[in-house]
Amino acid sequence: MKHTTRNVIAALLSACFFSSSALASITITGTRVIYPAAEKEITVRLNNRADRPSLVQAWIDNGDVSQTLDKIDVPFILLPPFCRIEAHKGQTLRMVYNGNKLHATQESLFWLNVLDIPPKDKKLAGKNQLQMAMRSRIKIFFRPASLSEEGAKQAAVSLIWRKGSKSDRLTAINPSPYFVNVSRVSADARSGRQLATQRGEMLAPGTSKEFTLHGGSLTHIKPVIHYQYLDDYGAARSVDSQLTQ
């Protein structure tokens, strides 16, 4: 793609983006992508659930949503970058790793973006029209050959939990080489009341995160922490873990 074309597209995207997978006609099969390093390529399925065709643009970024398309540098080729998907039809995207060096002992994170650009309404030809492009965005986890799906499960159930920096917070520690997506955390107060988070967090390899639990102080909670993580297929799995000192 020529730089001039890419710059025009980047400007268009920054001007008319609206990110909302719930409203988009184009949907991505699955909520995350796992790319095993041993695979030459993997595929991702897109579906058009609308009664009209859509023009779709797809690309991969490294997490910086403000970066323009001509500045993005990722070790993947995504084909096709543009396509038209007819009403109630689908399209397969091919994702190819180009071999550029990534972490050999821990997962790397990237993002798949799918922009749904609706066609102009022919009934309004010659009149001003507001076209809203909808973007869906999901995580891509590049998994080195030394890591496995079973290892990812073990990492998710082996988080270390401690009391956080404030009385309403818990700290989760992820000593593993995997990303762990925690969708919910709760603890039982000795009074019988349950304290819980309102949103989840993702723990990168070898990092920690604080979770704020609502409903009261964690000073007098029972020593068992309940949490849910999202597995390779986006399913929520429940775990009970001991609170450490």
Side-chain angles (χ1 to χ4, degrees):
M1 181 187 295
K2 294 182 179 180
H3 285 298
T4 53
T5 303
R6 294 171 70 176
N7 287 336
V8 170
I9 293 170
L12 174 64
L13 296 184
S14 63
C16 68
F17 253 157
F18 183 82
S19 179
S20 175
S21 58
L23 298 176
S25 299
I26 300 299
T27 59
I28 308 171
T29 299
T31 60
R32 64 207 58 240
V33 176
I34 308 297
Y35 196 120
E39 296 294 330
K40 292 183 178 180
E41 67 175 56
I42 63 171
T43 59
V44 178
R45 181 72 175 177
L46 306 181
N47 292 293
N48 184 1
R49 61 186 182 183
D51 295 325
R52 55 161 177 79
S54 277
L55 176 65
V56 172
Q57 182 181 15
W59 71 98
I60 297 171
D61 69 54
N62 56 13
D64 184 354
V65 294
S66 65
Q67 198 169 43
T68 56
L69 295 184
D70 58 312
K71 301 294 185 182
I72 294 174
D73 183 18
V74 293
F76 298 97
I77 300 168
L78 192 62
L79 299 171
F82 291 95
C83 62
R84 175 187 168 100
I85 306 180
E86 300 298 331
H88 304 291
K89 300 293 183 180
Q91 171 71 44
T92 297
L93 299 179
R94 294 172 53 224
M95 191 182 303
V96 182
Y97 173 49
N98 67 12
N100 285 1
K101 189 174 182 180
L102 292 172
H103 287 293
T105 57
Q106 70 178 50
E107 290 183 334
S108 298
L109 174 65
F110 299 91
W111 294 80
L112 171 63
N113 300 267
V114 174
L115 187 69
D116 173 9
I117 308 170
K120 290 185 177 180
D121 190 339
K122 294 180 180 179
K123 295 179 182 178
L124 299 177
K127 300 180 181 179
N128 292 331
Q129 297 186 43
L130 175 62
Q131 283 187 281
M132 190 169 290
M134 303 290 182
R135 182 181 66 172
S136 300
R137 197 164 185 260
I138 65 172
K139 300 179 185 75
I140 302 168
F141 299 100
F142 182 82
R143 183 168 291 166
S146 60
L147 305 182
S148 65
E149 181 180 344
E150 187 57 38
K153 293 178 184 177
Q154 188 58 42
V157 302
S158 301
L159 297 180
I160 300 168
W161 293 90
R162 295 174 180 164
K163 289 188 177 180
S165 61
K166 295 185 178 181
S167 63
D168 62 346
R169 297 180 184 177
L170 287 174
T171 297
I173 302 168
N174 174 22
S176 79
Y178 299 86
F179 283 85
V180 179
N181 286 269
V182 177
S183 58
R184 189 178 188 275
V185 184
S186 64
D188 299 316
R190 296 192 184 279
S191 63
R193 189 173 188 178
Q194 187 177 74
L195 317 178
T197 54
Q198 293 182 343
R199 66 184 183 90
E201 296 280 1
M202 182 174 66
L203 284 80
T207 67
S208 62
K209 285 274 188 180
E210 278 200 332
F211 292 80
T212 300
L213 273 66
H214 300 269
S217 171
L218 300 175
T219 304
H220 302 294
I221 60 170
K222 296 179 181 180
V224 177
I225 305 302
H226 316 287
Y227 69 96
Q228 289 184 334
Y229 73 90
L230 302 180
D231 66 14
D232 280 0
Y233 307 97
R237 306 292 183 184
S238 298
V239 182
D240 291 337
S241 180
Q242 289 289 321
L243 184 66
T244 61
Q245 300 300 319

